[in-house]
Amino acid sequence: MADIYELTVALDLRDLSDAETAELRRHLGLGPQPEELTIVRSFPFVYEDEDGLPVTEEQPFALLGHLGGAHKVGGALTSALVRRPSGGWALTSRQEIHPDVSDELGQLLGRLADRATDRHRRPGGHVHIGSLRFHEEDRPDALMVRDGTPAWPWPSGRDAAGA
């Protein structure tokens, strides 16, 4: 069984710096990777070398950049970022995710929550950023971020996925 989840993010964001916009566009699969990463700075990839020793390399990738037909959750995977006429940005993304990327994705979603408009803020300091649904379930759960950390349904970090 695959630990695949449907992640849907729908946010209105306050103004972003040019660097934040460029990096966010990259994470949405809408632009090239900027020279300097300021939102998610580390993308460690661990593999074994020819001697069986672990090697870690940085391999940045677009966290919300999958486009096309979904493999497990059905429907289409997509992302969009548009300028709002009243200022700020509107962001929508629907993706298939695995707990292996919860560290990196958590950093991105934490930053987005910081930039979210007040309409997404809930009592107690939570920011409603979208929903999360295990691929075999029918109903999604609200996905909240508090103090920069998403409330994932699995323990935080790579250990949750057995990596």
Side-chain angles (χ1 to χ4, degrees):
M1 176 184 347
D3 290 336
I4 301 297
Y5 291 79
E6 172 195 54
L7 170 68
T8 303
V9 178
L11 282 173
D12 294 320
L13 303 169
R14 297 186 304 265
D15 277 324
L16 304 170
S17 70
D18 290 343
E20 288 172 320
T21 302
E23 188 170 347
L24 181 54
R25 290 182 55 75
R26 168 62 179 145
H27 284 301
L28 297 173
L30 304 173
Q33 181 174 308
E35 270 188 45
E36 183 179 1
L37 300 176
T38 61
I39 298 174
V40 183
R41 296 174 188 220
S42 179
F43 290 84
F45 178 75
V46 180
Y47 64 94
E48 287 184 7
D49 67 10
E50 59 276 356
D51 297 322
L53 299 173
V55 176
T56 302
E57 287 184 0
E58 288 294 319
Q59 293 188 2
F61 60 95
L63 290 163
L64 303 174
H66 296 281
L67 304 174
H71 297 284
K72 293 282 188 183
V73 301
L77 305 178
T78 189
S79 289
L81 181 68
V82 296
R83 192 68 135 133
R84 298 183 59 82
S86 58
W89 297 89
L91 179 148
T92 299
S93 183
R94 180 175 186 266
Q95 300 289 306
E96 287 181 322
I97 64 164
H98 188 279
D100 279 351
V101 299
S102 60
D103 290 344
E104 296 86 358
L105 189 55
Q107 292 174 52
L108 176 61
L109 297 179
R111 179 69 69 91
L112 292 176
D114 286 344
R115 298 286 191 249
T117 62
D118 289 341
R119 72 181 306 263
H120 300 285
R121 300 189 184 285
R122 303 293 185 261
H126 293 85
V127 179
H128 180 248
I129 62 167
S131 64
L132 195 65
R133 175 181 69 86
F134 183 65
H135 78 276
E136 293 181 346
E137 297 294 327
D138 292 329
R139 292 185 177 179
D141 294 314
L143 182 57
M144 305 290 220
V145 172
R146 182 170 183 180
D147 298 328
T149 303
W152 298 122
W154 56 81
S156 64
R158 294 190 195 311
D159 293 336

